[in-house]
Amino acid sequence: MSHDNPEIGEFLDLLGNNTRRRILESLTNEPKYFIQLSKEIGVSQQAVLKHLFLLENFGLIESFKAKSNLAAPDRKYFQLNRSVYLSIGITGNSMEIKMENIKGPNKIRSKNNMAIESKEVSIKKDKEITDILKNTKHKLELLAKRMQELEDEKIHLLKEKQQILEITHQVIRESLKEDLARRILYSNLISREITDIEELSETLNTREKEIKIVVKSLEDRFSVDLI
Amino acid sequence: MSHDNPEIGEFLDLLGNNTRRRILESLTNEPKYFIQLSKEIGVSQQAVLKHLFLLENFGLIESFKAKSNLAAPDRKYFQLNRSVYLSIGITGNSMEIKMENIKGPNKIRSKNNMAIESKEVSIKKDKEITDILKNTKHKLELLAKRMQELEDEKIHLLKEKQQILEITHQVIRESLKEDLARRILYSNLISREITDIEELSETLNTREKEIKIVVKSLEDRFSVDLI
């Protein structure tokens, strides 16, 4: 079950902090060193370092050294490192938390580009940027639109699920006096099959033997196969 | 911007706690009173009360009094109260956090059903449960399948966005020396238009006058309208 994944809790906890969200948002643009971040976000260098450590520890960001353009020593830059998608849906009768690591083609590493400071910017590059500001932006807008449609449909389905579960839970509640019997049916509703008595025993914090007896009586009474 | 919504932070922080997630998960099934929750989850009553208070304070759950079936005093039950959908997508070059309150038909209140303990369960109810275990379960599976498809497409689009932004950011980084110029373009890429210099001034923590000058020079150089 979702609540058993300690990584989800850690991830939610990390993102629960406003400064950390702002650091991540800032790093979406380009790698930065911590003094830059501190200045941009308006938070003390010490605090930024603390948050960067937590984010790096979880693997959301990584650091690398790059040459400074001045005669100064190398700078430690931070950049986003991990692609994650998480969705949470809570309705009156259901809760689902899903976290998926997005695997994709490896990022083009920026390590070698941080120190580039060419004075002459080629006309070719200028045209590329014009194109980005016209066409790429439009592509990104289309992507955003489609993603919004997906979210909307998801919310619509969550509502539908809510309505079904509302009635379902109501009926179960009115028909079954025994706590354990209800909990077994609730479990059965959201998972495919109660194949694993052992797992159910753990989830419901109840002895396997007891579960088996109740499952059997439910199967007989409602003429269904639960296992 | 998403990081400015303090409610998102509070919500993420609330869900960052494993016990609170387990309480919510348990309440998806039916309203419960805190001793029941404490027993079910295996956490001290005091701790459960503390978490229930936080969840109720945020509006995720609500409490109501219902008659006990014994001669005992009324019990205070807790149930889910608020429907929320939240999604987080972080890739190497983008981060989006969206939270939406799901508005739907009002829940059928359970208040009046908690004390019902009819000894005779009607045959009609039994048939309803048989139907739920056969047909409703199948409906819920179809809903879950479609929701998974939506998530998969969303992840696919996030990857696409990541690839576009990777190249885009690379070009911008290589072409523009000035920090502010780059930040203005990054902002422009993810938002529709830089219509509001004032807002941009706040986001970029830079004076409006300075922004106007850089925007003007970008517009001239790349022959685009940013404002």
Side-chain angles (χ1 to χ4, degrees):
Chain A
M1 286 218 179
S2 59
H3 63 66
D4 287 337
N5 184 342
E7 217 186 18
I8 289 182
E10 212 184 316
F11 184 60
L12 292 169
D13 210 30
L14 267 182
L15 291 180
N17 179 286
N18 184 39
T19 303
R20 287 196 286 272
R21 289 202 303 283
R22 292 181 68 196
I23 288 174
L24 289 173
E25 191 138 10
S26 170
L27 294 180
T28 59
N29 292 334
E30 54 185 43
K32 280 168 191 167
Y33 53 97
F34 82 95
I35 298 175
Q36 238 178 329
L37 283 167
S38 160
K39 206 172 137 195
E40 201 177 300
I41 298 172
V43 170
S44 78
Q45 293 184 13
Q46 210 180 351
V48 167
L49 270 180
K50 187 192 78 184
H51 291 305
L52 284 171
F53 173 77
L54 291 170
L55 292 168
E56 192 172 12
N57 207 34
F58 188 76
L60 270 177
I61 63 172
E62 61 171 5
S63 59
F64 62 90
K65 295 229 165 154
K67 281 199 188 106
S68 169
N69 40 338
L70 306 171
D74 287 359
R75 272 174 180 156
K76 194 178 176 187
Y77 283 87
F78 294 89
Q79 68 182 4
L80 294 188
N81 183 38
R82 189 171 164 183
S83 297
V84 188
Y85 177 73
L86 182 130
S87 77
I88 300 169
I90 296 180
T91 67
N93 284 296
S94 73
M95 164 160 128
E96 51 163 68
I97 302 184
K98 277 185 192 170
M99 178 168 163
E100 283 187 60
N101 288 301
I102 304 177
K103 285 185 192 94
N106 276 337
K107 276 191 69 176
I108 307 156
R109 289 285 153 211
S110 326
K111 306 198 184 191
N112 302 320
N113 302 307
M114 291 311 298
I116 290 179
E117 292 248 344
S118 62
K119 294 226 163 113
E120 283 275 293
V121 171
S122 70
I123 291 164
K124 188 173 158 288
K125 286 274 174 213
D126 274 21
K127 277 199 183 128
E128 272 185 72
I129 291 190
T130 303
D131 181 68
I132 283 168
L133 292 173
K134 284 182 175 156
N135 304 327
T136 309
K137 205 183 152 182
H138 181 63
K139 267 188 232 161
L140 287 172
E141 274 166 10
L142 291 179
L143 280 177
K145 192 166 163 256
R146 179 63 188 145
M147 285 196 253
Q148 187 55 53
E149 284 169 8
L150 296 174
E151 301 286 1
D152 291 345
E153 189 179 340
K154 178 94 195 265
I155 287 173
H156 177 80
L157 296 179
L158 281 171
K159 277 189 204 170
E160 223 173 285
K161 185 178 171 186
Q162 152 77 2
Q163 280 169 28
I164 293 174
L165 283 174
E166 184 68 42
I167 296 161
T168 306
H169 285 178
Q170 184 90 354
V171 172
I172 293 176
R173 215 150 49 211
E174 286 171 2
S175 312
L176 292 166
K177 268 206 303 190
E178 201 187 352
D179 215 65
L180 183 58
R182 291 204 302 278
R183 292 173 71 205
I184 288 173
L185 287 194
Y186 296 143
S187 271
N188 182 261
L189 268 179
I190 51 164
S191 59
R192 262 152 231 291
E193 300 289 336
I194 309 175
T195 39
D196 201 336
I197 290 279
E198 203 182 311
E199 206 187 301
L200 196 65
S201 158
E202 213 175 292
T203 309
L204 302 182
N205 204 18
T206 310
R207 284 182 311 132
E208 291 185 24
K209 200 182 156 191
E210 215 179 317
I211 289 175
K212 272 185 194 160
I213 294 168
V214 179
V215 164
K216 180 76 175 59
S217 85
L218 287 169
E219 287 186 332
D220 289 347
R221 178 165 160 196
F222 301 115
S223 333
V224 286
D225 289 327
L226 293 175
I227 299 192
Chain B
M1 286 218 180
S2 60
H3 63 67
D4 287 336
N5 185 341
E7 216 184 19
I8 290 182
E10 213 184 316
F11 184 60
L12 291 169
D13 210 29
L14 267 181
L15 292 179
N17 180 285
N18 185 38
T19 304
R20 287 197 286 273
R21 288 201 303 282
R22 293 182 67 196
I23 289 175
L24 290 172
E25 192 137 11
S26 170
L27 294 180
T28 58
N29 293 333
E30 55 186 43
K32 278 167 191 166
Y33 52 98
F34 82 96
I35 299 175
Q36 239 178 327
L37 283 167
S38 160
K39 208 173 134 193
E40 202 178 299
I41 299 172
V43 170
S44 78
Q45 293 184 13
Q46 209 180 352
V48 167
L49 272 180
K50 188 193 78 184
H51 291 306
L52 284 171
F53 173 76
L54 291 171
L55 292 169
E56 192 172 11
N57 207 35
F58 188 75
L60 270 176
I61 64 173
E62 61 171 5
S63 59
F64 61 91
K65 293 230 165 152
K67 281 198 188 107
S68 169
N69 40 339
L70 307 168
D74 287 0
R75 271 174 181 156
K76 193 178 176 188
Y77 283 86
F78 294 89
Q79 67 182 4
L80 293 189
N81 183 39
R82 188 170 164 185
S83 297
V84 188
Y85 177 73
L86 182 130
S87 77
I88 300 170
I90 296 181
T91 67
N93 284 295
S94 73
M95 165 160 126
E96 52 164 67
I97 302 184
K98 277 185 191 170
M99 178 168 164
E100 282 188 60
N101 288 301
I102 304 177
K103 286 185 192 95
N106 277 337
K107 275 192 69 174
I108 306 157
R109 289 285 153 212
S110 326
K111 307 198 184 192
N112 303 321
N113 301 307
M114 291 311 299
I116 290 178
E117 293 249 343
S118 64
K119 293 223 165 115
E120 283 276 292
V121 171
S122 71
I123 290 164
K124 189 175 158 285
K125 286 275 175 213
D126 273 22
K127 277 200 183 128
E128 273 185 70
I129 291 190
T130 304
D131 181 68
I132 283 168
L133 292 173
K134 283 182 177 158
N135 303 327
T136 310
K137 206 184 151 184
H138 180 62
K139 267 188 232 159
L140 287 172
E141 275 166 11
L142 291 179
L143 280 178
K145 193 168 161 254
R146 179 64 188 144
M147 285 195 253
Q148 188 55 55
E149 284 169 8
L150 295 175
E151 301 286 1
D152 291 346
E153 189 179 339
K154 178 92 194 267
I155 287 173
H156 177 80
L157 295 179
L158 281 171
K159 277 188 207 171
E160 222 172 288
K161 186 178 170 185
Q162 152 77 4
Q163 280 168 28
I164 293 174
L165 284 175
E166 184 68 42
I167 296 163
T168 306
H169 284 178
Q170 184 91 354
V171 171
I172 293 176
R173 214 151 51 212
E174 285 171 3
S175 311
L176 293 165
K177 269 206 302 189
E178 200 186 353
D179 215 63
L180 183 59
R182 290 202 303 278
R183 292 173 70 205
I184 288 173
L185 288 195
Y186 295 143
S187 271
N188 182 262
L189 268 179
I190 51 164
S191 60
R192 262 150 231 292
E193 300 290 337
I194 309 176
T195 39
D196 202 334
I197 289 279
E198 202 182 313
E199 207 187 302
L200 195 65
S201 159
E202 213 175 292
T203 310
L204 302 183
N205 205 15
T206 309
R207 286 183 309 133
E208 292 186 24
K209 200 182 158 190
E210 214 179 318
I211 289 175
K212 273 185 194 160
I213 293 169
V214 179
V215 165
K216 179 78 174 59
S217 85
L218 287 169
E219 288 186 332
D220 289 347
R221 177 165 160 195
F222 301 115
S223 333
V224 287
D225 289 327
L226 293 174
I227 299 192

